[in-house]
Amino acid sequence: MKIESVDFFYVSMPEVLDIGDGSQDALLVRISAGGNEGWGECEASPLTTIASYVCPMSHSACKPVKYSLEGERIESVNDIYRISNLVHENSLDLLQADHTLSGIDTALWDLFGKMTGEPVYRLLGYNKANSKVPYASQLFGDTPQESFDKALKSKTDGYKAVKFGWGPFGTKGLKADIEQLHAVREGLGKDILLMVDAGTVWNGKVDQARERLAALKSVDVFWLEEPFRNLYLEDYKSLSESTPKIDIAGGEGCNNFAQAQAMIKYAGIKFIQIDVGRVGGISAAKQVADLALVSNVFYVNHTFTSNLALSASLQPYAGIKDYTICEYPVELKPLAKEITKTSILPDENGYINVPDKPGLGVEIDTQSVKKYLIDTEIKIGGKRVYITPDI
């Protein structure tokens, strides 16, 4: 059967704050075929991503993403991979293409899972989905006391692992960072895994990152995440070889498989973190997980948005038993919580489980989507090329 429609829905909180919180807006993708609907989410600027789908052709290698999708058949998983390859061929010079493809590819997997009655992880070749240990992902507080309070709450809530990131960390000097680190460790106690996300704050400044290693070691940090921007391979490698030894995580900024491959091979990282909504979708993420498995690097999902995105992010490594942890955001804005009827919650033992239902196993709450929907219209030369679709 053929793809009948591809719709984009730009949703946003009434006010978007200047903080490192990606749950304040979203771009949802709905693909329809044969009486079924598949849903995906792009982790990217919504308006920019819509534009990449409908923009005019610039030349043979810079076509709009819709050129590779509308009217294509979807009859097997091979068609999903084929469409991904078409996008890369036809939109080679369209730099937003992989972000746009990420939501599309995810929606195609969800669609085909519903068509066949199979969960996505089975379509990817896994016999079962293994439970994951969620780490409560959150921002540092503005003060050490706020961070302590957040850490204590995560401990009280029963999390076995917690990550703090962004906020003031790395911006107010070494002494302030040390105070933050000791505050969260005090709040968590000694037995809970602690990860720290530097939010690329030391980009190009390896010495500043290196100055924090002793402090990170003193509070038994499990990993240091994103000390630098994506693909700053020499900086990552240099820090990974510094003492005291702290394992490094990175990769959430990877926009395609090749970038993730470079991070795995040359950055010296121990953990590769992949965002399905950025890397090109579930197809590309599964390719990264397979490479990590043979490269002595641990694959971890990156997600800081909705439960739709969370389910999608778990599928590529659901069946790999040795990859035991997953990012689990605990400070989502109402939008990210409400746009799905499905909530993926820790079970009685504190583990996260992939929904064992067709597709991604996540139901969209269309009424909530309407609540946050941003009416959008794009015209080119007086001709309308996009208007917010009905939902």
Side-chain angles (χ1 to χ4, degrees), residues 17-311:
L17 305 175
D18 187 10
I19 57 175
D21 181 356
S23 70
Q24 301 182 84
D25 67 6
L27 182 67
L28 302 177
V29 183
R30 180 182 66 190
I31 300 180
S32 301
N36 291 285
E37 292 181 350
W39 288 85
E41 184 175 336
C42 303
E43 175 57 21
S45 164
L47 187 57
T48 310
T49 305
I50 294 171
S52 75
Y53 190 77
V54 299
C55 65
M57 177 175 62
S58 294
H59 53 77
S60 61
C62 196
K63 299 184 178 81
V65 175
K66 69 176 183 179
Y67 191 92
S68 304
L69 190 66
E70 295 182 358
E72 291 292 328
R73 68 181 186 276
I74 177 73
E75 297 169 355
S76 73
V77 296
N78 290 332
D79 287 323
I80 302 176
Y81 293 117
R82 180 180 57 81
I83 289 169
S84 178
N85 289 332
L86 280 175
V87 171
H88 289 128
E89 291 172 7
N90 291 319
S91 304
L92 176 67
D93 286 347
L94 186 62
L95 297 186
Q96 193 70 15
D98 276 300
H99 275 164
T100 311
L101 173 62
S102 296
I104 289 169
D105 181 88
T106 297
L108 288 173
W109 283 102
D110 187 40
L111 172 66
F112 194 68
K114 291 171 179 174
M115 290 167 61
T116 59
E118 292 284 358
V120 170
Y121 71 83
R122 286 208 192 104
L123 297 177
L124 292 171
Y126 298 124
N127 293 323
K128 62 173 289 187
N130 295 289
S131 299
K132 307 295 183 185
V133 177
Y135 61 84
S137 187
Q138 56 203 289
L139 305 180
F140 276 104
D142 291 335
T143 66
Q145 182 62 49
E146 288 182 23
S147 296
F148 170 85
D149 292 341
K150 288 185 174 190
L152 187 60
K153 183 180 186 305
S154 293
K155 179 181 179 181
T156 302
D157 289 343
Y159 288 99
K160 301 177 176 68
V162 175
K163 186 178 80 176
F164 281 86
W166 294 73
F169 192 77
T171 67
K172 296 184 177 181
L174 177 60
K175 182 176 181 295
D177 287 352
I178 292 173
E179 291 173 350
Q180 285 278 6
L181 291 171
H182 283 278
V184 297
R185 176 49 77 191
E186 183 181 354
L188 293 176
K190 66 178 183 178
D191 296 327
I192 294 175
L193 291 181
L194 170 60
M195 296 84 154
V196 171
D197 182 352
T200 73
V201 71
W202 301 305
N203 198 58
K205 302 172 183 176
V206 179
D207 288 344
Q208 289 188 22
R210 196 177 283 124
E211 285 177 352
R212 271 74 175 175
L213 293 180
L216 292 164
K217 192 74 173 180
S218 72
V219 296
D220 194 24
V221 164
F222 187 63
W223 75 48
L224 173 63
E225 178 178 333
E226 281 215 314
F228 318 110
R229 290 178 195 157
N230 187 49
L231 289 180
Y232 273 63
L233 303 176
E234 291 185 5
D235 288 355
Y236 270 97
K237 183 69 171 176
S238 177
L239 187 62
S240 74
E241 295 173 344
S242 299
T243 54
K245 172 71 174 176
I246 299 289
D247 287 333
I248 307 298
E252 70 180 69
C254 292
N255 298 329
N256 53 54
F257 169 74
Q259 291 184 6
Q261 182 182 48
M263 291 290 286
I264 288 171
K265 288 182 175 292
Y266 305 117
I269 58 175
K270 187 65 176 178
F271 301 90
I272 182 73
Q273 300 165 295
I274 294 300
D275 196 313
V276 165
R278 293 178 184 170
V279 78
I282 290 172
S283 299
K286 175 60 162 60
Q287 194 177 3
V288 178
D290 290 345
L291 176 63
L293 192 61
V294 298
S295 302
N296 196 32
V297 172
F298 286 87
Y299 183 102
V300 184
N301 69 312
H302 172 268
T303 185
F304 210 82
T305 53
S306 72
N307 280 267
L308 177 67
L310 177 59
S311 177

Side-chain angles (χ1 to χ4, degrees), residues 293-339:
L293 192 61
V294 298
S295 302
N296 196 32
V297 172
F298 286 87
Y299 183 102
V300 184
N301 69 312
H302 172 268
T303 185
F304 210 82
T305 53
S306 72
N307 280 267
L308 177 67
L310 177 59
S311 177
S313 77
L314 293 170
Q315 307 291 334
Y317 74 123
I320 303 178
K321 189 174 182 180
D322 290 342
Y323 296 166
T324 57
I325 56 179
C326 74
E327 182 165 30
Y328 187 78
V330 293
E331 295 182 327
L332 294 176
K333 291 292 185 288
L335 175 154
K337 294 179 181 179
E338 295 174 14
I339 59 177

